[in-house]
Amino acid sequence: MLCLDDFYKEGDDPTLPRTNGVIDWESPAAWDASAAVQTIAQLVRDGKAEVPVYAIGADRRVATRVLDLAGSPLFIAEGIFAAEIVSECQRAGLLAGAYALRRPRGATFLRRLVRDLAERRKPAGVLLRRGLDLLRSEPRVLRRQTSLGCQPARGGEFVRQIVARVPKTDPRA
């Protein structure tokens, strides 16, 4: 699993988009799409790559780690901005499939809020406001992701589609 959220730009990057003087972390411009595509290409080519580890609470990369596919023919790259690189990955022959998960919005809101509070990503008030904004914008986000080339899928559908793409190396499989 490649976490594309680890490719956010550093909090002091002057190219970060701002709204009323506040960084707009929901904008694709807050993310380093080029580095994400380069890493995906390296994973496809070499089967492993050094990837960043981003601390959302600190607004910066705090480490790196090696992601080793260990011979797996496929991997999942996930993140809120994944749709932004679908066409580029497709043109480069790096894409097996692109999916935008459809989940119950209320459940997504609660799961995200609990995770973000537990990880102390930001102050509680910020997390609640951000979570409510994301809850309201989710249908628009899904429309944008599908317009960028993702297929909408529920969790179970997504897993079945991915499993169907795995090459069968064992004739008994």
Side-chain angles (χ1 to χ4, degrees):
M1 176 84 67
L2 175 62
C3 180
L4 295 174
D5 289 351
D6 285 332
F7 291 87
Y8 269 107
K9 293 178 180 177
E10 303 267 331
D12 57 359
D13 186 318
T15 67
L16 283 168
R18 294 182 181 273
T19 304
N20 299 323
V22 177
I23 296 171
D24 181 3
W25 293 108
E26 305 307 315
S27 167
W31 185 68
D32 190 347
S34 176
V37 171
Q38 288 173 12
T39 300
I40 289 169
Q42 184 178 4
L43 281 167
V44 170
R45 182 184 64 244
D46 302 336
K48 65 180 170 180
E50 190 168 325
V51 300
V53 176
Y54 196 91
I56 291 176
D59 294 335
R60 66 184 54 261
R61 295 173 184 173
V62 295
T64 61
R65 67 180 178 91
V66 174
L67 176 58
D68 189 336
L69 301 181
S72 175
L74 296 174
F75 66 95
I76 295 172
E78 61 82 26
I80 188 64
F81 301 128
E84 302 296 323
I85 59 174
V86 165
S87 62
E88 188 173 349
C89 287
Q90 196 165 32
R91 275 192 305 276
L94 304 172
L95 188 68
Y99 305 93
L101 292 184
R102 296 177 298 164
R103 296 181 178 162
R105 289 169 52 199
T108 299
F109 166 78
L110 287 173
R111 191 177 65 253
R112 180 184 294 126
L113 183 61
V114 167
R115 177 202 65 199
D116 291 351
L117 287 170
E119 294 179 7
R120 297 183 176 149
R121 290 182 166 199
K122 301 283 180 190
V126 170
L127 294 174
L128 185 58
R129 280 191 304 278
R130 178 181 176 270
L132 290 171
D133 287 345
L134 291 172
L135 174 71
R136 287 188 285 273
S137 69
E138 193 166 319
R140 179 181 47 80
V141 169
L142 182 60
R143 282 192 303 275
R144 176 167 168 71
Q145 290 171 335
T146 56
S147 77
L148 291 171
C150 294
Q151 299 173 31
R154 297 201 186 283
E157 296 168 358
F158 163 75
V159 170
R160 282 189 295 280
Q161 290 177 25
I162 291 296
V163 168
R165 291 180 181 271
V166 175
K168 304 289 189 233
T169 56
D170 183 338
R172 297 170 291 174

